[in-house]
Amino acid sequence: MTVQSGTWPKMTSAEEFRFLSELVLTRSSADHTIVSLRDHHAGTTRFANNQIVQNVDARRGSLAVTVAFGGRHGTSSTTNFTAGAVQDTLARAERIARVSPVDPEYLPPPVPCVFPVRETAKPETMAAGPVKRLEYANEAIGHCRMENIMAAGVVSSSATAVGIAADNGLFGYERRADARFSLTVQAGDATGWGAAAHRSIDHLRVQERTLAAIAKSKRGRDAYELSAGDYPVILEPAAVAGLWTWLIWSLDAKSYTKGTSPFAGKLGQPIVDERLTLRNVPDHDDLLGVGFTHEGLPSTDSVWIDRGILTQLAYDRFTAKTGGVEIIPTLEAPALSVEGPSAHSIQDLIKSTERGILVTNFWYIRPVNPRDLMLTGMTRDGTFLVEKGEVVSAVKNFRFHESPLRAFQRLSAWTAPMEAVNSETGKMLMPAIVLPHFHFSSVTRF
């Protein structure tokens, strides 16, 4: 069911999903049957060189059926929601399952439970269309034109109906809305950048982020080359999020059990500064929490790092069962906080810094050694030298080689958590943080 722009049919409702899932569950001959829905309607407006270059609206609804005979399982999906197509999808899944090898890690559907009900579908985002996205894009372009600066970016909004049902009584349905904005502005060789993601399209703060990106690009002109080496750094929230994303991705319990994780043997032990706490906060208005996962597990508040001590790992259902873990935590709404008095703003962090490097964002972060979480990447969209409490000049971008497990052992100063988004991390709440040591291994030429 993929269509082009026009008058959209309404999203698949909970009642319609229940009808479709019952159509499958009552006809399945398998030992276990799961039905999953994803009805996604998304629009994207792109701009470059200060003009709109693309405006796309698309909707795709997909219904997936998974069946199992013993440990043999198969999955088939369809974009056609008619009764005949759904029954054909069930038949295909059964044929696949019967010829599949036994999966030693197969588990039956999760036990039914009452999922948390969250305000994941903000009406202003559900109703947003190309006119609203065009308004935001033109607002960003207008500010850049006034400064004679070129801008490129994206405004997007989406509405999604998700559902899961199983033959043991498991049933979940939720509508989710999502809006995003990002832009890169260029002033000569210098760039500035800003990004936002929110359940409400009214909270993207397009003007504020555009003006901040313009200011960064203008201040970034005439960057000079500073020698690579160890420096104190002021990391803005997006830069902190870039490093912590890899830390979060490395928390999986399976690699921990195998001994290949950088955290192997460290559960219950300190791994970062004792003032740092990482939580999953799905009820937070500024995060993208959900009611349940694609596996049919509830999303709940959980603590992963408690005052520097590793307290939680990310379990798949099989690893949780073998490890005797009954409640599987989720981490789709991460928030990092620092215990103790915080600075009011990033500007206050700059004022309190004798000498250091201000980093707006990191780009293309990749692992060098997964065992100690050594990472490499480059600074981007605003790298500045700070001396005696002021930004004194722009400096050329650096490549870094650093492990967040080493860098975040000691913090000098910080702010309260702020919204942090970049191209690789999704949405988090992260403070800006001053670190006394951070290793820049070389100067980049672009």
Side-chain angles (χ1 to χ4, degrees), residues 108-144:
V111 175
C113 67
V114 178
F115 295 123
V117 177
R118 300 200 162 96
E119 195 178 1
T120 52
K122 296 286 188 181
E124 60 271 24
T125 308
M126 301 290 283
V131 174
K132 186 72 172 180
R133 296 194 299 272
L134 184 65
E135 174 190 331
Y136 282 158
N138 280 333
E139 183 176 2
I141 290 171
H143 287 296
C144 292

mmCIF file of all heavy atoms in Angstrom, residues 108-144:
data_model
loop_
_atom_site.group_PDB
_atom_site.id
_atom_site.type_symbol
_atom_site.label_atom_id
_atom_site.label_comp_id
_atom_site.label_asym_id
_atom_site.label_seq_id
_atom_site.Cartn_x
_atom_site.Cartn_y
_atom_site.Cartn_z
ATOM 1 N N PRO A 108 8.658 -18.491 22.400
ATOM 2 C CA PRO A 108 7.256 -18.145 22.101
ATOM 3 C C PRO A 108 6.999 -16.674 22.372
ATOM 4 O O PRO A 108 7.840 -15.978 22.953
ATOM 5 C CB PRO A 108 6.466 -19.050 23.053
ATOM 6 C CG PRO A 108 7.410 -19.382 24.144
ATOM 7 C CD PRO A 108 8.774 -19.414 23.536
ATOM 8 N N PRO A 109 5.833 -16.147 21.967
ATOM 9 C CA PRO A 109 5.546 -14.722 22.179
ATOM 10 C C PRO A 109 5.636 -14.347 23.658
ATOM 11 O O PRO A 109 5.427 -15.181 24.544
ATOM 12 C CB PRO A 109 4.109 -14.567 21.662
ATOM 13 C CG PRO A 109 3.885 -15.726 20.759
ATOM 14 C CD PRO A 109 4.731 -16.846 21.291
ATOM 15 N N PRO A 110 5.933 -13.074 23.948
ATOM 16 C CA PRO A 110 5.985 -12.618 25.344
ATOM 17 C C PRO A 110 4.644 -12.798 26.040
ATOM 18 O O PRO A 110 3.591 -12.789 25.399
ATOM 19 C CB PRO A 110 6.338 -11.130 25.217
ATOM 20 C CG PRO A 110 6.902 -10.962 23.854
ATOM 21 C CD PRO A 110 6.257 -11.992 22.991
ATOM 22 N N VAL A 111 4.706 -12.912 27.340
ATOM 23 C CA VAL A 111 3.487 -13.031 28.144
ATOM 24 C C VAL A 111 2.690 -11.727 28.027
ATOM 25 O O VAL A 111 3.258 -10.645 28.103
ATOM 26 C CB VAL A 111 3.846 -13.305 29.618
ATOM 27 C CG1 VAL A 111 2.595 -13.309 30.495
ATOM 28 C CG2 VAL A 111 4.613 -14.608 29.734
ATOM 29 N N PRO A 112 1.365 -11.807 27.821
ATOM 30 C CA PRO A 112 0.560 -10.576 27.723
ATOM 31 C C PRO A 112 0.679 -9.717 28.973
ATOM 32 O O PRO A 112 0.810 -10.224 30.082
ATOM 33 C CB PRO A 112 -0.868 -11.105 27.561
ATOM 34 C CG PRO A 112 -0.726 -12.497 27.067
ATOM 35 C CD PRO A 112 0.550 -13.029 27.647
ATOM 36 N N CYS A 113 0.674 -8.409 28.776
ATOM 37 C CA CYS A 113 0.710 -7.482 29.902
ATOM 38 C C CYS A 113 -0.005 -6.197 29.489
ATOM 39 O O CYS A 113 -0.348 -6.017 28.317
ATOM 40 C CB CYS A 113 2.157 -7.179 30.319
ATOM 41 S SG CYS A 113 3.080 -6.252 29.095
ATOM 42 N N VAL A 114 -0.213 -5.322 30.453
ATOM 43 C CA VAL A 114 -0.824 -4.017 30.161
ATOM 44 C C VAL A 114 0.310 -3.037 29.848
ATOM 45 O O VAL A 114 1.144 -2.748 30.707
ATOM 46 C CB VAL A 114 -1.652 -3.512 31.359
ATOM 47 C CG1 VAL A 114 -2.228 -2.134 31.061
ATOM 48 C CG2 VAL A 114 -2.752 -4.506 31.694
ATOM 49 N N PHE A 115 0.351 -2.544 28.618
ATOM 50 C CA PHE A 115 1.415 -1.630 28.221
ATOM 51 C C PHE A 115 1.133 -0.224 28.746
ATOM 52 O O PHE A 115 -0.031 0.198 28.814
ATOM 53 C CB PHE A 115 1.536 -1.575 26.693
ATOM 54 C CG PHE A 115 1.967 -2.868 26.079
ATOM 55 C CD1 PHE A 115 1.189 -3.500 25.100
ATOM 56 C CD2 PHE A 115 3.160 -3.476 26.457
ATOM 57 C CE1 PHE A 115 1.581 -4.689 24.530
ATOM 58 C CE2 PHE A 115 3.565 -4.673 25.887
ATOM 59 C CZ PHE A 115 2.776 -5.290 24.925
ATOM 60 N N PRO A 116 2.194 0.524 29.081
ATOM 61 C CA PRO A 116 1.996 1.928 29.484
ATOM 62 C C PRO A 116 1.355 2.720 28.345
ATOM 63 O O PRO A 116 1.670 2.501 27.176
ATOM 64 C CB PRO A 116 3.423 2.424 29.746
ATOM 65 C CG PRO A 116 4.246 1.197 29.937
ATOM 66 C CD PRO A 116 3.606 0.130 29.115
ATOM 67 N N VAL A 117 0.449 3.615 28.700
ATOM 68 C CA VAL A 117 -0.200 4.493 27.712
ATOM 69 C C VAL A 117 0.502 5.844 27.756
ATOM 70 O O VAL A 117 0.533 6.508 28.793
ATOM 71 C CB VAL A 117 -1.697 4.658 28.023
ATOM 72 C CG1 VAL A 117 -2.337 5.624 27.027
ATOM 73 C CG2 VAL A 117 -2.393 3.306 27.977
ATOM 74 N N ARG A 118 1.095 6.240 26.627
ATOM 75 C CA ARG A 118 1.859 7.489 26.588
ATOM 76 C C ARG A 118 1.333 8.378 25.476
ATOM 77 O O ARG A 118 0.766 7.900 24.495
ATOM 78 C CB ARG A 118 3.348 7.200 26.371
ATOM 79 C CG ARG A 118 3.939 6.347 27.463
ATOM 80 C CD ARG A 118 5.451 6.428 27.544
ATOM 81 N NE ARG A 118 5.900 5.946 28.834
ATOM 82 C CZ ARG A 118 6.319 4.698 29.066
ATOM 83 N NH1 ARG A 118 6.400 3.849 28.087
ATOM 84 N NH2 ARG A 118 6.673 4.321 30.281
ATOM 85 N N GLU A 119 1.589 9.681 25.635
ATOM 86 C CA GLU A 119 1.138 10.645 24.631
ATOM 87 C C GLU A 119 2.158 10.698 23.498
ATOM 88 O O GLU A 119 2.937 11.644 23.374
ATOM 89 C CB GLU A 119 0.955 12.028 25.266
ATOM 90 C CG GLU A 119 0.167 12.984 24.403
ATOM 91 C CD GLU A 119 -0.043 14.335 25.076
ATOM 92 O OE1 GLU A 119 0.442 14.513 26.208
ATOM 93 O OE2 GLU A 119 -0.686 15.193 24.468
ATOM 94 N N THR A 120 2.168 9.656 22.701
ATOM 95 C CA THR A 120 3.161 9.541 21.629
ATOM 96 C C THR A 120 2.682 10.117 20.311
ATOM 97 O O THR A 120 3.465 10.223 19.370
ATOM 98 C CB THR A 120 3.514 8.055 21.420
ATOM 99 O OG1 THR A 120 2.291 7.319 21.251
ATOM 100 C CG2 THR A 120 4.274 7.500 22.609
ATOM 101 N N ALA A 121 1.403 10.468 20.225
ATOM 102 C CA ALA A 121 0.846 10.982 18.966
ATOM 103 C C ALA A 121 0.336 12.400 19.163
ATOM 104 O O ALA A 121 -0.857 12.623 19.383
ATOM 105 C CB ALA A 121 -0.267 10.071 18.475
ATOM 106 N N LYS A 122 1.243 13.374 19.109
ATOM 107 C CA LYS A 122 0.834 14.765 19.267
ATOM 108 C C LYS A 122 -0.032 15.170 18.069
ATOM 109 O O LYS A 122 0.382 15.009 16.912
ATOM 110 C CB LYS A 122 2.073 15.654 19.338
ATOM 111 C CG LYS A 122 2.964 15.390 20.549
ATOM 112 C CD LYS A 122 2.332 15.943 21.813
ATOM 113 C CE LYS A 122 3.306 15.848 22.978
ATOM 114 N NZ LYS A 122 2.704 16.351 24.231
ATOM 115 N N PRO A 123 -1.235 15.713 18.333
ATOM 116 C CA PRO A 123 -2.153 16.013 17.221
ATOM 117 C C PRO A 123 -1.586 17.013 16.225
ATOM 118 O O PRO A 123 -1.859 16.927 15.024
ATOM 119 C CB PRO A 123 -3.395 16.561 17.931
ATOM 120 C CG PRO A 123 -2.972 16.884 19.322
ATOM 121 C CD PRO A 123 -1.834 15.985 19.647
ATOM 122 N N GLU A 124 -0.786 18.000 16.707
ATOM 123 C CA GLU A 124 -0.243 19.002 15.779
ATOM 124 C C GLU A 124 0.726 18.364 14.786
ATOM 125 O O GLU A 124 0.863 18.831 13.648
ATOM 126 C CB GLU A 124 0.446 20.134 16.554
ATOM 127 C CG GLU A 124 1.608 19.729 17.432
ATOM 128 C CD GLU A 124 1.179 19.340 18.844
ATOM 129 O OE1 GLU A 124 0.022 18.951 19.017
ATOM 130 O OE2 GLU A 124 2.038 19.410 19.757
ATOM 131 N N THR A 125 1.409 17.298 15.194
ATOM 132 C CA THR A 125 2.321 16.612 14.274
ATOM 133 C C THR A 125 1.554 15.669 13.354
ATOM 134 O O THR A 125 1.861 15.567 12.156
ATOM 135 C CB THR A 125 3.380 15.820 15.062
ATOM 136 O OG1 THR A 125 4.001 16.685 16.015
ATOM 137 C CG2 THR A 125 4.449 15.260 14.130
ATOM 138 N N MET A 126 0.550 14.996 13.934
ATOM 139 C CA MET A 126 -0.259 14.086 13.113
ATOM 140 C C MET A 126 -0.941 14.844 11.978
ATOM 141 O O MET A 126 -1.149 14.305 10.887
ATOM 142 C CB MET A 126 -1.311 13.389 13.984
ATOM 143 C CG MET A 126 -0.776 12.564 15.135
ATOM 144 S SD MET A 126 0.071 11.048 14.642
ATOM 145 C CE MET A 126 -1.300 9.989 14.232
ATOM 146 N N ALA A 127 -1.295 16.116 12.258
ATOM 147 C CA ALA A 127 -2.019 16.892 11.251
ATOM 148 C C ALA A 127 -1.097 17.667 10.318
ATOM 149 O O ALA A 127 -1.549 18.229 9.313
ATOM 150 C CB ALA A 127 -2.960 17.878 11.957
ATOM 151 N N ALA A 128 0.194 17.734 10.651
ATOM 152 C CA ALA A 128 1.126 18.543 9.846
ATOM 153 C C ALA A 128 1.273 17.960 8.447
ATOM 154 O O ALA A 128 1.350 16.751 8.265
ATOM 155 C CB ALA A 128 2.484 18.600 10.531
ATOM 156 N N GLY A 129 1.327 18.846 7.483
ATOM 157 C CA GLY A 129 1.504 18.419 6.097
ATOM 158 C C GLY A 129 2.556 19.267 5.423
ATOM 159 O O GLY A 129 3.348 19.955 6.083
ATOM 160 N N PRO A 130 2.578 19.263 4.104
ATOM 161 C CA PRO A 130 3.611 20.002 3.369
ATOM 162 C C PRO A 130 3.588 21.509 3.614
ATOM 163 O O PRO A 130 4.626 22.159 3.561
ATOM 164 C CB PRO A 130 3.310 19.665 1.907
ATOM 165 C CG PRO A 130 1.945 19.077 1.883
ATOM 166 C CD PRO A 130 1.721 18.475 3.223
ATOM 167 N N VAL A 131 2.401 22.071 3.917
ATOM 168 C CA VAL A 131 2.328 23.519 4.155
ATOM 169 C C VAL A 131 3.127 23.892 5.408
ATOM 170 O O VAL A 131 3.897 24.865 5.415
ATOM 171 C CB VAL A 131 0.859 23.968 4.280
ATOM 172 C CG1 VAL A 131 0.787 25.432 4.674
ATOM 173 C CG2 VAL A 131 0.119 23.722 2.980
ATOM 174 N N LYS A 132 2.954 23.129 6.468
ATOM 175 C CA LYS A 132 3.684 23.398 7.711
ATOM 176 C C LYS A 132 5.185 23.201 7.499
ATOM 177 O O LYS A 132 6.000 24.013 7.974
ATOM 178 C CB LYS A 132 3.184 22.448 8.810
ATOM 179 C CG LYS A 132 3.758 22.728 10.185
ATOM 180 C CD LYS A 132 3.181 23.999 10.764
ATOM 181 C CE LYS A 132 3.578 24.210 12.211
ATOM 182 N NZ LYS A 132 3.008 25.447 12.761
ATOM 183 N N ARG A 133 5.558 22.140 6.820
ATOM 184 C CA ARG A 133 6.989 21.891 6.590
ATOM 185 C C ARG A 133 7.590 22.994 5.720
ATOM 186 O O ARG A 133 8.719 23.433 5.939
ATOM 187 C CB ARG A 133 7.178 20.517 5.945
ATOM 188 C CG ARG A 133 6.748 19.363 6.846
ATOM 189 C CD ARG A 133 7.257 18.039 6.308
ATOM 190 N NE ARG A 133 6.736 17.730 4.989
ATOM 191 C CZ ARG A 133 5.595 17.082 4.773
ATOM 192 N NH1 ARG A 133 4.867 16.674 5.801
ATOM 193 N NH2 ARG A 133 5.181 16.826 3.548
ATOM 194 N N LEU A 134 6.811 23.435 4.726
ATOM 195 C CA LEU A 134 7.285 24.526 3.860
ATOM 196 C C LEU A 134 7.470 25.809 4.666
ATOM 197 O O LEU A 134 8.444 26.553 4.462
ATOM 198 C CB LEU A 134 6.286 24.748 2.725
ATOM 199 C CG LEU A 134 6.672 25.795 1.676
ATOM 200 C CD1 LEU A 134 7.906 25.347 0.911
ATOM 201 C CD2 LEU A 134 5.513 26.041 0.719
ATOM 202 N N GLU A 135 6.568 26.051 5.598
ATOM 203 C CA GLU A 135 6.672 27.245 6.448
ATOM 204 C C GLU A 135 7.991 27.233 7.232
ATOM 205 O O GLU A 135 8.703 28.242 7.301
ATOM 206 C CB GLU A 135 5.477 27.273 7.408
ATOM 207 C CG GLU A 135 5.522 28.373 8.444
ATOM 208 C CD GLU A 135 4.430 28.177 9.495
ATOM 209 O OE1 GLU A 135 3.372 27.594 9.172
ATOM 210 O OE2 GLU A 135 4.656 28.585 10.642
ATOM 211 N N TYR A 136 8.314 26.095 7.826
ATOM 212 C CA TYR A 136 9.560 25.996 8.606
ATOM 213 C C TYR A 136 10.794 26.105 7.703
ATOM 214 O O TYR A 136 11.785 26.746 8.065
ATOM 215 C CB TYR A 136 9.593 24.685 9.386
ATOM 216 C CG TYR A 136 8.742 24.703 10.635
ATOM 217 C CD1 TYR A 136 8.299 23.523 11.208
ATOM 218 C CD2 TYR A 136 8.396 25.906 11.242
ATOM 219 C CE1 TYR A 136 7.529 23.522 12.359
ATOM 220 C CE2 TYR A 136 7.629 25.919 12.388
ATOM 221 C CZ TYR A 136 7.198 24.729 12.949
ATOM 222 O OH TYR A 136 6.437 24.749 14.092
ATOM 223 N N ALA A 137 10.745 25.455 6.545
ATOM 224 C CA ALA A 137 11.893 25.516 5.637
ATOM 225 C C ALA A 137 12.128 26.957 5.175
ATOM 226 O O ALA A 137 13.273 27.441 5.138
ATOM 227 C CB ALA A 137 11.656 24.599 4.435
ATOM 228 N N ASN A 138 11.050 27.648 4.843
ATOM 229 C CA ASN A 138 11.183 29.039 4.394
ATOM 230 C C ASN A 138 11.669 29.952 5.516
ATOM 231 O O ASN A 138 12.383 30.932 5.264
ATOM 232 C CB ASN A 138 9.848 29.544 3.848
ATOM 233 C CG ASN A 138 9.598 29.063 2.422
ATOM 234 O OD1 ASN A 138 10.539 28.800 1.681
ATOM 235 N ND2 ASN A 138 8.335 28.934 2.051
ATOM 236 N N GLU A 139 11.282 29.635 6.754
ATOM 237 C CA GLU A 139 11.770 30.426 7.881
ATOM 238 C C GLU A 139 13.293 30.307 7.989
ATOM 239 O O GLU A 139 13.998 31.310 8.142
ATOM 240 C CB GLU A 139 11.114 29.952 9.173
ATOM 241 C CG GLU A 139 11.524 30.773 10.387
ATOM 242 C CD GLU A 139 10.790 30.339 11.640
ATOM 243 O OE1 GLU A 139 9.997 29.386 11.576
ATOM 244 O OE2 GLU A 139 11.015 30.963 12.699
ATOM 245 N N ALA A 140 13.806 29.097 7.885
ATOM 246 C CA ALA A 140 15.263 28.893 7.950
ATOM 247 C C ALA A 140 15.959 29.564 6.765
ATOM 248 O O ALA A 140 16.989 30.236 6.925
ATOM 249 C CB ALA A 140 15.567 27.400 7.982
ATOM 250 N N ILE A 141 15.408 29.383 5.589
ATOM 251 C CA ILE A 141 16.006 29.980 4.382
ATOM 252 C C ILE A 141 16.008 31.500 4.480
ATOM 253 O O ILE A 141 16.989 32.167 4.128
ATOM 254 C CB ILE A 141 15.232 29.508 3.133
ATOM 255 C CG1 ILE A 141 15.486 28.022 2.880
ATOM 256 C CG2 ILE A 141 15.639 30.326 1.903
ATOM 257 C CD1 ILE A 141 14.595 27.424 1.807
ATOM 258 N N GLY A 142 14.909 32.070 4.970
ATOM 259 C CA GLY A 142 14.811 33.527 5.071
ATOM 260 C C GLY A 142 15.903 34.118 5.948
ATOM 261 O O GLY A 142 16.532 35.129 5.600
ATOM 262 N N HIS A 143 16.144 33.496 7.105
ATOM 263 C CA HIS A 143 17.203 33.989 7.991
ATOM 264 C C HIS A 143 18.564 33.909 7.305
ATOM 265 O O HIS A 143 19.396 34.816 7.446
ATOM 266 C CB HIS A 143 17.221 33.178 9.281
ATOM 267 C CG HIS A 143 16.070 33.474 10.197
ATOM 268 N ND1 HIS A 143 15.885 34.710 10.769
ATOM 269 C CD2 HIS A 143 15.039 32.688 10.613
ATOM 270 C CE1 HIS A 143 14.790 34.684 11.534
ATOM 271 N NE2 HIS A 143 14.258 33.472 11.444
ATOM 272 N N CYS A 144 18.805 32.841 6.575
ATOM 273 C CA CYS A 144 20.111 32.672 5.921
ATOM 274 C C CYS A 144 20.278 33.668 4.772
ATOM 275 O O CYS A 144 21.371 34.207 4.550
ATOM 276 C CB CYS A 144 20.268 31.234 5.413
ATOM 277 S SG CYS A 144 20.383 30.036 6.757
#
